[in-house]
Amino acid sequence: MVDTILFALWFFIPAGIANMTPVPVAKLPGLRNLSAPLDFGATIGGQRIFGAHKTWRGLVAGIAAATLTVWAQQWLVREYGWFVASAADEGYLSLNGWLLGPALAVGALGGDAVKSFFKRRRNIVPGSVWLPYDLIDHIIGAAILALPFVFFAWWVYPVVVVLWLFANLGISYAAYLAHIKERPF
């Protein structure tokens, strides 16, 4: 049971990396101006679909980061035996990193975009906090798009979502202390 939870948390690390990547990438000098919004500025009922913070630059960077993370994880399993039993049970080394990385990233960033759609409908200002949804949207989206690759027991998903919620609280606060984020949550 503990091995399964640890492997599930480890499995979704690329989704967490994809979700965090757009913020620092947006600050890189050569990429600041590449900020085309995912919704191309389109509106529904006078409100942006996703908002200006959801960009193609962030999506592409998130896909690249998640794919590199999947490859690194598979290398660690192969070379050092990390999570060997759980990884072998799930056939982790046989998964195609070219497909799994983008699936986790699109799931994570797509989950974030869907949450932003609903934030706009509730008139919540872009960039403001909507707890707990801001901390779990990406893991739910990634879990949905990871289903063709790995299907965990039903009870694993709520446990992973709760653990990611608390992990994200800590990571978000650490990013705030490191001046990467403007607000702690």
Side-chain angles (χ1 to χ4, degrees), residues 98-110:
W98 285 104
L99 298 175
L100 180 58
L104 289 170
V106 170
L109 297 171

Side-chain angles (χ1 to χ4, degrees), residues 68-98:
L68 289 172
T69 304
V70 167
W71 292 341
Q73 287 178 316
Q74 288 179 328
W75 178 79
L76 288 168
V77 168
R78 199 172 25 261
E79 297 297 320
Y80 297 102
W82 287 20
F83 295 104
V84 171
S86 295
D89 291 345
E90 300 296 339
Y92 187 69
L93 289 176
S94 66
L95 297 177
N96 184 334
W98 285 104

Side-chain angles (χ1 to χ4, degrees), residues 11-12 14-16 100 103-112 136-150 157:
F11 177 82
F12 288 113
L100 180 58
L104 289 170
V106 170
L109 297 171
D112 189 50
I136 61 173
D137 54 358
H138 65 287
I139 202 67
I140 292 171
I144 291 168
L145 287 192
L147 287 173
F149 299 95
V150 173
Y157 294 100

Side-chain angles (χ1 to χ4, degrees), residues 12-114:
F12 288 113
I13 286 174
I17 298 291
N19 188 57
M20 293 186 308
T21 298
V23 174
V25 166
K27 296 178 182 185
L28 294 175
L31 300 177
R32 278 191 204 131
N33 296 330
L34 301 174
S35 60
L38 285 175
D39 63 13
F40 298 105
T43 62
I44 294 177
Q47 294 178 318
R48 291 285 298 274
I49 295 173
F50 301 127
H53 294 162
K54 306 300 172 232
T55 66
W56 289 99
R57 172 192 57 220
L59 179 62
V60 170
I63 289 170
T67 303
L68 289 172
T69 304
V70 167
W71 292 341
Q73 287 178 316
Q74 288 179 328
W75 178 79
L76 288 168
V77 168
R78 199 172 25 261
E79 297 297 320
Y80 297 102
W82 287 20
F83 295 104
V84 171
S86 295
D89 291 345
E90 300 296 339
Y92 187 69
L93 289 176
S94 66
L95 297 177
N96 184 334
W98 285 104
L99 298 175
L100 180 58
L104 289 170
V106 170
L109 297 171
D112 189 50
V114 168

